[in-house]
Amino acid sequence: MRTELEAGACGFSELHPNMDEQNSEKSHSHASADRTSSAMSQNPRTSSHVSKSMKELSYLKVPQDPSRKDRQGHPTTIILCKSQSSQVAVEPKEHSMFMEETYSAAICFKMLQDLNGSDTRGLKYIIKKIKNMAHEAPNLVLETIHDYFVNNPEMSCRHKFWLFQVLEAAIEASDSLEEAWEKTFMKLALENMTKSTELEEVYQDAASNVLLAICRHSWQVVAQHLETEVLTGVFPHRSLLYVMGILTSNESIFQKGEKACWEKQLAQMAGKSVQFLHMEKWSKELLSALTKPDQTHQEQPPEKAFLFVYYGLILQNEDNATTVRTHLRTLLDTSHQWPKQREGIALTVGLAATRHLDHVWAVLEQFGRSTPVKWSLHSFCLKGQKSEDPKWRWASSTMLLAYGQMAVKAKAHILPWVDNILSRMVFYFHYSSWDETLKQSFLTAIFMLVGAISRNEGAHSYEFSQISELLECLMVLMEKEPQDTLCTSTRQQTIHIISSLCKLRPPLDLKRKSRLLSVCLRSVFALPLMDVLKKHTCLFLEPPNIQTLYNKTLEALDQMLQSLIMQNPTADELHFLLSHMYTWLASEKTHERQRAVHSCVALLGFLSHDLYLDTKEDFRRTGQLVGVLGILCQDPDKATRHSSLEGVGHLYQLLMRQRARELPTVEAQAPKQLSQASEDGAPIWSIGDQQTAPPTPREMAFPKDHIFRLGSSQVIKEVMKHLTVAELTDLIWTAVDGLGSASSFRVQAAADMLLLAIQEHGAELETVAKLGRAIHLQLCSVHIPQAKEVALHAITLLARNHTSELVATFLDPSIPLDSHTFQLWRALGAERPTSRLVVATLLAWLQERPLPPGARDGSPPPEDKTYLPSLTAMNLLHELQFAREFEKAVQEAYPELLLALLTQTHYISELNLPEEPQPGQEAQPLATPSPQRTSLEALKGLLSTTGHWQDFAHLELRGAWELFATTRTYPQGVGLLARAMVQNRCGQIKAVTSRLLSSLRSEEKRERKTAVLILVEFLYSPMLLEVLPRQAVLTVLARSLRDPSPEVRALSLQGLGNILFHPEKDPLVAAGGGQNCQVRETCCLTRSGSTWPSPPPATPGLREHTRRQDVQTPSPLPNIRIFRACGRKCLLLGDNIRARFQTDSATFCLPAHLDLILFTLHVNTVKRSPMGWQSPLHCT
């Protein structure tokens, strides 16, 4: 106490220099007090004795006569007075203590005196010092203040005003207040509360605050006196109402449990005041006080706020319903211009509804149909009749608040009325003039109603039909909020209300819930950056704390999401909620992604910690969420990266709990990365507390923390190990979708995740065809070289196990063969084993050659273009011949490619596809080359890229490429190519010959025809015998004579003719020349052992056909020795063959080579016959 008092004295001396002289006069006494103080600190008995003496002294001075004049004397007078009034003989130590306290009292007295002339700064300083002194010596300060009031009765009202404030501070600073002081100061306060001074209500409020300070020590005494004053039958003075208003609104005045006692006593006072409603004067004064304009309309004085409460309690206790209706209607007919007035009226109505719910509802309905209220609604007034009177402009706002107060005060009785109240709220929301006042009243009313319902235990048994309509109103309200500002708590309140409404029955349908989520998320996530939000409030007189407002709004959104998942704790509900965030998680704006990730991680953390999610549900959509968060783990924003990584960790924990339910036993083995974790076990980057108490022993088995210590790629890889094939597919689809993003980091992150997933689990994937097509479509929009390279590498890895599916997918004719597609095909063949499979698969597709109906007779191609896959495969093979990745594969598949491409040219000729634009169509200079041209280019490319330049030059120099364009000249083109291979001693003859055997057994005539054409020319190659023995060749040609196709039979016969008549060129004949028996055996082959049919009558067709054919190189004369041996049988064979051709096809025209063979047989036999020039048919 000594230190505090000295500090107060020193500080006071600085403010008041006139005290220096007094302090110097007391320096000797002060020094003596210092010496005495140290001695007293060692003797508590002396100290307590002196304190007790001072209490007795203070008690004796209380009942002094207040009529004494205000003494302006020196503080020495006070000390002398105290010395004379002391009747106790003190010891030296007690005397020192007495002098010290007397000196402190003098300082306090002087400060009280100087309150009258100090400025604002000095007044605050004095009040602060006196309050500090009151903490150390409350009785001394109170006694000094009391003496000052007693000794200075004529002081000014302004001086008293400041003294009341000092007295209030001193009483509040005291730990306890003696009963004598309570009575004395309560009397002082009551005397001044009702005085009329120049300070008016300010002076009365200062005196009333003294009474309120006494209430902190003994409120029952003050309350009893207030009740006595209120129940006199005279309308209470405003100061009494002021005190009662503060007691009602300020709970800090009471100790625990005392506020309820005051409310009970207040209700009893209201019950006793019911009689005053029938007193006209009292009622008029009441209404006058309620409608009195406030000094500031933003704040309502405590006495007026209390009067609305007290009026409602009186009406609540009134038994006469008519009286209640009359008073309520009278109150509603007053002005509705000011916000606090509307709130007070609504509160009175709500309190009256506690006992008179039916009558209050009737009064509100009647008032709502009144003319002034109708005119205030924009949809119920005629043009030009809308009320501009401010008294009625916001009457609908009062109605909304009144309905809300009804719900709060009626409590359990409100449930049957909820739908009616909601319908009225929706009505006033739609048809009132929309402004900020209506919006706030609407939200306040709904908040009160929802709070009343949630506090009612029976609410779960009700179904509220108006909930959906109310939610529509709330969504409209959210949509009308300006998207670029955040100046009010409207969003926060609306989201809280929506969260509470979603708990009521009936549950929301998915469509409305989806729209609700979309509106709420957009309203919060789409807000601009914090700096931009703050700029909008720079001109406000009292700008709100934008950061706090935003944090509370975002917290309300998180609570709404948690509330929704608690009502339906399933994996489907989790996916439904998160699916509405995916758009924001993929936003191009950093702050929007950051907000969305925060809410997503908050929801996952809530489920991971509190275990609300039902583990019996299958996590079917986990892969998509892992993919989205995995991409965000590479976000440029650090906060987003860390939050995303944390979200993956929470998701991993949820996934492990679900997997534990599926497995009979769970082995808790931490991955190898655990050894790299920090020694203290704390997560390196985790945000928030990750440790939660597990509910079951099984949960103890999981290392809940190790996942939070891994890097992003390690976390994703760890999660992938526990995903099903379907979930992995969802993850990959998410990565593929990310490739199409406009954000560079998302494209790169998606490509990395795609590569990681395929690298680890590519062999397990299903539906690869759709996946490949989607990757192709996305690659067209990827402009980041590194990301594109990674995605193409993923295709390479995927092709290891799914080559055929990918080839079939990329072979789609609707996919243009542009640079992107070509890169995709090169990626397919980046690995040599895969490139072989790709070429083999394309060959298989190339050989699928359906011939549309009418193609043979020259009809136009049908709309159903079944031949397109074969043409597409041909185009791809043409392009891939020049790709470095397919160089080896094309070399190895040269025989198959050669035969397939030769056959393809014949197939295209059969299709009769137009080479030029159709009539009426303009030629497109950049259009795709025609199939005829492409087939020839593919054949040329095969020869050039595989090193067969001599063969290519042979055909190029002779202009033989055009021979492949039509079916008529096609045999000549194939023959020239095969002949060039023989002449140039091509190293692929043996390989091609091996493939000819399978082609000769093909079901397609064109393949057999091509094979026979090549085989006939290969008969001149010495390398033929290295592949096929002589007997095998003869057998093959003989079997072809039984081919269903006349052309194949004719070409086979030509081959036999070459063997028979060109031994100098045919290695087969040269190897077996002179063996007539074998020649006869070969030439007399029959079908299944039967002889050829008899020849028909001779016709001039042979010579006519021979003249029509353009025979460029006549065949040399045959070997005479062979003709002499079997000339007759050869002639018979030729006629029989011609007869068979004419029998099989009446329109078939014999090929030139066959006619030439038969003509040569005929001429040479006649010239060398011993019977002269006779027909060989007549020879014996």
Side-chain angles (χ1 to χ4, degrees):
M1 181 186 74
R2 168 67 181 167
T3 304
E4 184 64 38
L5 293 177
E6 285 185 356
C10 294
F12 183 74
S13 298
E14 293 175 2
L15 276 177
H16 305 279
N18 58 346
M19 290 292 293
D20 294 340
E21 183 180 354
Q22 179 182 353
N23 290 343
S24 62
E25 292 176 0
K26 293 298 179 180
S27 59
H28 178 73
S29 176
H30 192 87
S32 176
D34 288 339
R35 292 192 297 272
T36 307
S37 176
S38 61
M40 285 191 60
S41 62
Q42 301 175 3
N43 191 350
R45 293 185 178 181
T46 305
S47 177
S48 61
H49 177 69
V50 173
S51 300
K52 183 177 180 180
S53 300
M54 291 304 300
K55 289 182 180 180
E56 294 174 355
L57 178 63
S58 302
Y59 181 78
L60 292 174
K61 296 191 68 68
V62 169
Q64 291 181 1
D65 187 6
S67 63
R68 289 185 298 175
K69 303 295 182 182
D70 187 10
R71 294 175 295 178
Q72 302 292 335
H74 206 272
T76 308
T77 307
I78 302 176
I79 296 176
L80 294 175
C81 179
K82 286 179 177 291
S83 300
Q84 293 174 359
S85 63
S86 177
Q87 304 296 325
V88 184
V90 294
E91 298 177 359
K93 292 182 179 180
E94 294 176 344
H95 176 73
S96 300
M97 188 65 182
F98 172 77
M99 294 302 295
E100 182 178 353
E101 293 180 352
T102 303
Y103 176 67
S104 301
I107 295 174
C108 180
F109 194 92
K110 180 60 177 175
M111 286 191 288
L112 295 176
Q113 186 180 26
D114 290 345
L115 285 173
N116 191 30
S118 300
D119 56 5
T120 304
R121 180 172 174 267
L123 291 172
K124 292 181 179 179
Y125 182 83
I126 292 172
I127 294 174
K128 179 181 178 181
K129 289 301 177 182
I130 293 178
K131 189 173 182 179
N132 293 337
M133 293 176 67
H135 279 291
E136 300 292 339
N139 285 329
L140 187 148
V141 175
L142 293 177
E143 181 181 2
T144 305
I145 296 174
H146 172 265
D147 288 345
Y148 198 91
F149 269 106
V150 172
N151 296 332
N152 301 278
E154 300 298 331
M155 71 179 76
S156 65
C157 61
R158 190 174 297 275
H159 195 182
K160 285 185 179 181
F161 169 74
W162 289 111
L163 284 174
F164 284 139
Q165 294 194 37
V166 172
L167 179 59
E168 177 191 1
I171 295 175
E172 289 180 351
S174 302
D175 294 333
S176 61
L177 190 64
E178 296 181 1
E179 183 179 355
W181 292 125
E182 289 179 2
K183 293 180 180 179
T184 301
F185 292 123
M186 185 167 63
K187 181 180 179 182
L188 177 65
L190 290 172
E191 288 176 355
N192 289 273
M193 283 169 54
T194 56
K195 282 186 178 180
S196 297
T197 63
E198 59 182 8
L199 299 179
E200 298 179 350
E201 296 180 358
V202 177
Y203 180 87
Q204 297 173 357
D205 292 345
S208 301
N209 289 334
V210 174
L211 196 62
L212 289 169
I214 297 174
C215 288
R216 296 180 182 275
H217 299 279
S218 179
W219 69 271
Q220 293 89 348
V221 177
V222 177
Q224 189 63 39
H225 186 81
L226 293 174
E227 182 177 358
T228 302
E229 294 291 334
V230 169
L231 297 179
T232 58
V234 179
F235 190 77
H237 190 272
R238 62 158 300 277
S239 296
L240 297 175
L241 299 176
Y242 173 87
V243 174
M244 298 177 74
I246 298 297
L247 287 174
T248 303
S249 60
N250 191 353
E251 296 184 3
S252 62
I253 297 177
F254 301 95
Q255 300 294 328
K256 186 177 181 180
E258 292 180 348
K259 180 68 182 297
C261 297
W262 160 249
E263 292 176 350
K264 183 178 180 181
Q265 185 174 352
L266 185 61
Q268 294 174 356
M269 292 169 57
K272 297 176 183 179
S273 301
V274 171
Q275 55 183 329
F276 303 140
L277 291 177
H278 305 282
M279 299 173 59
E280 184 178 357
K281 181 180 179 180
W282 195 92
S283 298
K284 286 184 178 180
E285 291 185 7
L286 171 63
L287 191 61
S288 175
L290 291 175
T291 57
K292 179 182 177 181
D294 303 328
Q295 294 182 355
T296 58
H297 299 290
Q298 300 301 323
E299 295 183 3
Q300 196 173 45
E303 63 271 17
K304 191 172 182 179
F306 170 76
L307 203 54
F308 279 113
V309 175
Y310 194 60
Y311 191 17
L313 293 174
I314 295 174
L315 292 176
Q316 185 182 116
N317 287 275
E318 173 62 60
D319 295 329
N320 191 337
T322 304
T323 303
V324 174
R325 291 192 177 195
T326 302
H327 279 268
L328 287 179
R329 183 55 192 268
T330 303
L331 182 62
L332 289 171
D333 287 336
T334 60
S335 176
H336 301 264
Q337 181 176 0
W338 307 112
K340 295 298 180 181
Q341 188 76 9
R342 296 191 293 269
E343 293 175 7
I345 294 174
L347 179 58
T348 302
V349 172
L351 289 170
T354 305
R355 282 190 62 202
H356 308 284
L357 185 58
D358 295 340
H359 303 294
V360 171
W361 177 265
V363 171
L364 291 177
E365 288 290 286
Q366 183 182 7
F367 180 69
R369 291 191 294 267
S370 63
T371 302
V373 176
K374 284 186 176 181
W375 281 10
S376 68
L377 303 178
H378 62 79
S379 297
F380 284 85
C381 60
L382 298 176
K383 186 176 181 181
Q385 292 184 346
K386 185 176 180 179
S387 176
E388 298 295 339
D389 187 355
K391 175 181 178 180
W392 301 105
R393 181 178 179 182
W394 292 284
S396 56
S397 175
T398 306
M399 298 291 288
L400 288 169
L401 295 173
Y403 286 125
Q405 290 290 354
M406 283 178 58
V408 173
K409 305 304 180 184
K411 297 180 181 179
H413 304 288
I414 199 61
L415 290 180
W417 294 83
V418 168
D419 280 332
N420 290 333
I421 294 176
L422 286 177
S423 65
R424 296 302 182 270
M425 288 182 173
V426 172
F427 170 81
Y428 284 109
F429 176 86
H430 284 300
Y431 297 105
S432 300
S433 298
W434 184 261
D435 56 10
E436 191 68 24
T437 299
L438 175 66
K439 179 169 60 178
Q440 291 299 326
S441 300
F442 177 75
L443 288 175
T444 303
I446 296 298
F447 194 81
M448 289 189 290
L449 176 62
V450 173
I453 296 174
S454 61
R455 289 188 294 269
N456 199 310
E457 297 180 356
H460 65 277
S461 60
Y462 277 83
E463 288 197 3
F464 306 103
S465 60
Q466 293 293 319
I467 293 295
S468 59
E469 297 296 328
L470 181 59
L471 287 173
E472 289 293 331
C473 296
L474 292 172
M475 285 188 282
V476 171
L477 189 148
M478 288 283 281
E479 291 173 343
K480 288 186 176 182
E481 279 295 290
Q483 197 58 56
D484 57 343
T485 60
L486 182 65
C487 303
T488 65
S489 59
T490 300
R491 287 182 174 86
Q492 175 188 344
Q493 295 175 6
T494 305
I495 294 174
H496 277 307
I497 293 172
I498 291 174
S499 179
S500 300
L501 289 175
C502 291
K503 299 177 183 179
L504 303 179
R505 296 177 58 194
L508 297 178
D509 58 274
L510 290 180
K511 184 178 180 180
R512 181 170 280 106
K513 187 189 293 186
S514 177
R515 180 167 177 260
L516 194 65
L517 284 170
S518 300
V519 170
C520 292
L521 294 177
R522 181 174 60 254
S523 180
V524 178
F525 291 162
L527 288 171
L529 289 169
M530 194 60 58
D531 294 338
V532 179
L533 292 175
K534 291 179 180 179
K535 288 180 181 178
H536 286 283
T537 61
C538 61
L539 299 179
F540 286 21
L541 294 177
E542 296 181 359
N545 190 328
I546 299 299
Q547 186 65 53
T548 302
L549 196 59
Y550 170 75
N551 291 340
K552 290 184 177 180
T553 303
L554 191 60
E555 182 181 354
L557 181 63
D558 294 340
Q559 291 177 358
M560 184 189 75
L561 296 174
Q562 294 169 10
S563 175
L564 291 174
I565 196 65
M566 287 174 63
Q567 297 167 43
N568 185 21
T570 62
D572 288 340
E573 182 70 11
L574 176 62
H575 168 70
F576 177 78
L577 297 179
L578 295 178
S579 63
H580 291 78
M581 294 189 188
Y582 290 153
T583 302
W584 300 101
L585 291 172
S587 173
E588 298 299 323
K589 298 180 180 179
T590 302
H591 64 279
E592 291 181 354
R593 294 197 306 271
Q594 190 179 100
R595 294 165 181 171
V597 169
H598 170 83
S599 295
C600 180
V601 173
L603 181 59
L604 293 175
F606 171 76
L607 295 175
S608 177
H609 292 166
D610 297 336
L611 304 176
Y612 281 106
L613 201 61
D614 186 6
T615 56
K616 296 180 181 179
E617 293 284 335
D618 187 16
F619 284 12
R620 290 172 292 179
R621 305 297 180 89
T622 308
Q624 182 180 8
L625 183 56
V626 174
V628 172
L629 293 178
I631 292 176
L632 290 174
C633 286
Q634 299 186 32
D635 196 281
D637 180 65
K638 184 178 180 181
T640 304
R641 287 199 309 271
H642 287 177
S643 297
S644 302
L645 204 54
E646 182 185 1
V648 176
H650 291 313
L651 188 61
Y652 174 80
Q653 292 180 349
L654 292 172
L655 188 63
M656 292 304 293
R657 291 194 188 100
Q658 197 271 342
R659 296 295 184 260
R661 181 189 60 82
E662 297 177 354
L663 298 176
T665 59
V666 179
E667 298 180 1
Q669 296 179 355
K672 296 180 181 180
Q673 290 85 345
L674 280 174
S675 60
Q676 303 174 0
S678 58
E679 295 180 359
D680 57 356
I684 298 174
W685 52 263
S686 61
I687 301 174
D689 183 17
Q690 305 294 342
Q691 300 288 340
T692 53
T696 61
R698 176 172 291 183
E699 295 298 323
M700 295 291 293
F702 292 103
K704 286 192 173 184
D705 289 335
H706 83 273
I707 195 68
F708 296 103
R709 301 189 183 99
L710 307 180
S712 59
S713 60
Q714 293 173 322
V715 169
I716 300 301
K717 188 182 296 185
E718 185 68 21
V719 174
M720 284 182 184
K721 295 178 182 179
H722 305 282
L723 298 179
T724 63
V725 175
E727 292 166 351
L728 281 171
T729 304
D730 288 341
L731 186 148
I732 293 177
W733 274 105
T734 305
V736 172
D737 292 339
L739 293 175
S741 174
S743 175
S744 58
F745 93 87
R746 290 186 62 84
V747 175
Q748 186 63 53
D752 293 339
M753 179 173 291
L754 178 65
L755 177 61
L756 180 63
I758 293 178
Q759 190 173 8
E760 296 292 328
H761 306 280
E764 308 169 15
L765 296 179
E766 300 174 355
T767 65
V768 177
K770 294 181 180 179
L771 189 62
R773 184 174 182 84
I775 294 175
H776 166 260
L777 294 176
Q778 296 291 12
L779 281 178
C780 297
S781 60
V782 175
H783 302 290
I784 303 173
Q786 185 178 359
K788 196 165 191 176
E789 183 179 353
V790 173
L792 290 174
H793 184 48
I795 289 293
T796 301
L797 298 181
L798 189 63
R800 291 178 178 177
N801 303 282
H802 307 281
T803 307
S804 59
E805 296 97 318
L806 291 176
V807 171
T809 301
F810 300 148
L811 199 62
D812 190 344
S814 62
I815 299 179
L817 190 57
D818 52 14
S819 60
H820 302 289
T821 308
F822 188 64
Q823 286 181 337
L824 209 61
W825 282 101
R826 293 184 61 184
L828 280 178
E831 296 179 351
R832 184 170 297 180
T834 310
S835 65
R836 297 192 187 100
L837 290 175
V838 171
V839 172
T841 308
L842 287 176
L843 277 171
W845 279 97
L846 184 68
Q847 294 170 358
E848 295 292 331
R849 304 184 182 98
L851 194 62
R856 291 185 177 88
D857 55 7
S859 302
E863 297 181 359
D864 186 14
K865 300 180 180 180
T866 57
Y867 52 83
L868 285 180
S870 179
L871 300 187
T872 307
M874 176 188 67
N875 295 339
L876 283 169
L877 286 171
H878 173 223
E879 297 293 338
L880 296 181
Q881 291 168 4
F882 303 95
R884 175 177 51 84
E885 292 81 2
F886 289 89
E887 181 179 355
K888 294 293 183 181
V890 172
Q891 286 279 5
E892 295 173 1
Y894 178 82
E896 294 86 348
L897 288 172
L898 178 64
L899 294 176
L901 292 176
L902 287 173
T903 308
Q904 189 73 5
T905 57
H906 191 285
Y907 172 65
I908 293 174
S909 300
E910 293 180 86
L911 291 177
N912 294 321
L913 297 176
E915 296 188 13
E916 300 296 332
Q918 296 295 324
Q921 296 181 354
E922 296 182 359
Q924 300 179 3
L926 299 179
T928 305
S930 63
Q932 293 86 344
R933 182 177 178 82
T934 304
S935 63
L936 290 178
E937 293 297 328
L939 186 58
K940 293 178 183 180
L942 178 65
L943 296 176
S944 61
T945 57
T946 54
H948 297 81
W949 288 103
Q950 292 179 333
D951 303 338
F952 177 84
H954 183 84
L955 295 180
E956 187 73 23
L957 292 175
R958 300 193 63 174
W961 297 114
E962 300 300 328
L963 298 176
F964 294 94
T966 62
T967 56
R968 184 176 61 85
T969 59
Y970 175 79
Q972 299 177 32
V974 176
L976 287 175
L977 175 58
R979 194 172 306 154
M981 294 176 65
V982 173
Q983 292 176 0
N984 298 321
R985 298 183 179 181
C986 176
Q988 293 284 352
I989 289 181
K990 293 188 291 185
V992 173
T993 303
S994 300
R995 298 299 305 172
L996 288 176
L997 298 178
S998 59
S999 298
L1000 287 170
R1001 292 191 296 268
S1002 173
E1003 296 181 359
E1004 292 187 3
K1005 180 189 72 174
R1006 64 183 72 88
E1007 286 193 30
R1008 300 194 303 272
K1009 176 181 177 181
T1010 303
V1012 169
L1013 284 171
I1014 296 175
L1015 182 60
V1016 167
E1017 296 297 333
F1018 278 7
L1019 294 176
Y1020 297 97
S1021 174
M1023 290 182 286
L1024 183 66
L1025 291 177
E1026 299 180 18
V1027 180
L1028 293 176
R1030 177 177 176 277
Q1031 184 64 38
V1033 176
L1034 296 176
T1035 304
V1036 168
L1037 291 174
R1039 186 184 299 114
S1040 298
L1041 293 175
R1042 300 192 300 268
D1043 193 274
S1045 171
E1047 293 179 272
V1048 175
R1049 295 197 300 268
L1051 293 172
S1052 301
L1053 184 60
Q1054 179 184 352
L1056 290 173
N1058 290 341
I1059 296 174
L1060 291 174
F1061 305 126
H1062 305 289
E1064 71 280 3
K1065 295 184 178 181
D1066 188 359
L1068 295 179
V1069 178
Q1075 298 180 8
N1076 297 334
C1077 60
Q1078 292 183 1
V1079 176
R1080 283 196 303 270
E1081 180 183 359
T1082 303
C1083 294
C1084 296
L1085 290 172
T1086 59
R1087 179 181 297 179
S1088 302
S1090 59
T1091 59
W1092 292 92
S1094 300
T1099 61
L1102 176 61
R1103 291 183 175 84
E1104 294 177 1
H1105 177 71
T1106 303
R1107 286 193 299 269
R1108 289 196 306 266
Q1109 297 298 327
D1110 182 16
V1111 181
Q1112 296 180 359
T1113 306
S1115 301
L1117 293 177
N1119 191 306
I1120 302 301
R1121 184 168 53 88
I1122 298 178
F1123 279 115
R1124 289 176 179 174
C1126 54
R1128 177 179 175 81
K1129 293 186 177 181
C1130 288
L1131 291 175
L1132 291 174
L1133 178 61
D1135 288 339
N1136 287 333
I1137 290 175
R1138 183 186 297 108
R1140 176 163 178 80
F1141 282 136
Q1142 293 174 351
T1143 303
D1144 290 344
S1145 177
T1147 61
F1148 178 71
C1149 186
L1150 291 177
H1153 293 78
L1154 181 57
D1155 279 344
L1156 182 61
I1157 293 171
L1158 299 178
F1159 180 72
T1160 305
L1161 285 171
H1162 178 75
V1163 172
N1164 285 282
T1165 304
V1166 170
K1167 286 182 178 181
R1168 290 161 178 80
S1169 174
M1171 300 178 62
W1173 293 94
Q1174 304 183 53
S1175 174
L1177 297 177
H1178 298 287
C1179 298
T1180 57

